[in-house]
Amino acid sequence: MLEAQLLNIKLDKAQKQLVEAQNTRTSPTTSDVPVDTLLDLTDSSSSVKTVLPWDDSGLREEAIRQHYTNRINDLIETIQKAEGECILNKRECVGLKKRLHIAEKQHNQFAVDMCNNDKVRQQLEEELTLTKDKYEAQIALMSEHLCAMNDKLVNLNEENQTLKMDTPKQNRKKW
């Protein structure tokens, strides 16, 4: 960016000198020659061709000035494109950073939720085991109680049967 500003300053100075030089002398043949013929634009060092049919430094300076103006404009355009891409990449990085931060928060929250759910699951398993043990104990007690009641019923039934048998004998004796 500083290079472009420095080249713009140099360009302004060159333009002022060119205007002053053109004011001091006028040449009717300078407008007939195209600017592209004065510069070798394919050469990367931007050197000036020496194919001029006349020795006019004003026309040469104008061609050089136009070449550097075009070069500066190209550089400025390249810099602006690079800055635009940089801004785009920076925004994308900021967006990705925010998404990463949100994902980390969610991950931490899921880890806490998982820990809490594991504790609840363990507590429920303990309650289930305790309830199962209590039910098994109650069933065992009920089974014992039912067996005892069954024994009592059998004994009572036997006694009842024996009493029934004894009762008719007693009735016969009385008669």
Side-chain angles (χ1 to χ4, degrees):
M1 193 66 182
L2 292 175
E3 255 184 76
Q5 290 175 349
L6 181 62
L7 289 174
N8 277 331
I9 291 171
K10 286 183 180 179
L11 176 66
D12 290 340
K13 285 183 182 179
Q15 285 176 346
K16 287 179 186 177
Q17 289 175 357
L18 182 64
V19 169
E20 289 174 5
Q22 286 179 352
N23 287 341
T24 57
R25 65 183 183 127
T26 58
S27 174
T29 59
T30 58
S31 63
D32 297 339
V33 178
V35 178
D36 293 341
T37 60
L38 300 176
L39 287 178
D40 183 12
L41 298 177
T42 60
D43 188 11
S44 62
S45 64
S46 301
S47 64
V48 177
K49 283 187 177 181
T50 57
V51 188
L52 294 175
W54 61 90
D55 193 20
D56 189 7
S57 63
L59 185 60
R60 183 172 177 248
E61 286 178 7
E62 176 66 27
I64 292 171
R65 182 192 65 77
Q66 186 171 358
H67 172 72
Y68 280 119
T69 302
N70 291 339
R71 180 74 177 136
I72 288 171
N73 289 337
D74 289 343
L75 289 173
I76 289 173
E77 184 179 330
T78 304
I79 289 172
Q80 288 174 346
K81 285 181 182 178
E83 285 177 346
E85 288 177 8
C86 179
I87 290 170
L88 180 67
N89 289 337
K90 182 179 178 183
R91 287 180 182 164
E92 186 176 346
C93 287
V94 167
L96 289 173
K97 183 180 176 183
K98 286 180 182 178
R99 287 179 58 195
L100 178 65
H101 184 61
I102 290 170
E104 285 176 349
K105 279 184 177 180
Q106 287 178 345
H107 176 71
N108 292 339
Q109 184 63 36
F110 288 148
V112 168
D113 289 345
M114 219 164 103
C115 188
N116 289 340
N117 289 340
D118 192 39
K119 287 179 184 177
V120 168
R121 183 188 55 81
Q122 287 175 352
Q123 188 178 18
L124 289 174
E125 282 179 353
E126 288 175 5
E127 287 179 10
L128 178 65
T129 305
L130 185 63
T131 305
K132 180 182 166 186
D133 291 343
K134 284 183 180 180
Y135 282 153
E136 285 176 357
Q138 286 178 353
I139 288 174
L141 251 167
M142 289 296 284
S143 295
E144 287 176 17
H145 180 68
L146 284 175
C147 285
M149 291 298 284
N150 194 19
D151 287 342
K152 279 186 184 180
L153 278 175
V154 168
N155 288 339
L156 285 175
N157 199 9
E158 286 177 6
E159 282 181 27
N160 199 6
Q161 289 294 331
T162 54
L163 286 175
K164 280 184 184 179
M165 288 189 175
D166 287 340
T167 313
K169 289 181 187 177
Q170 288 175 359
N171 283 339
R172 284 185 198 164
K173 290 181 185 178
K174 290 182 186 179
W175 299 45

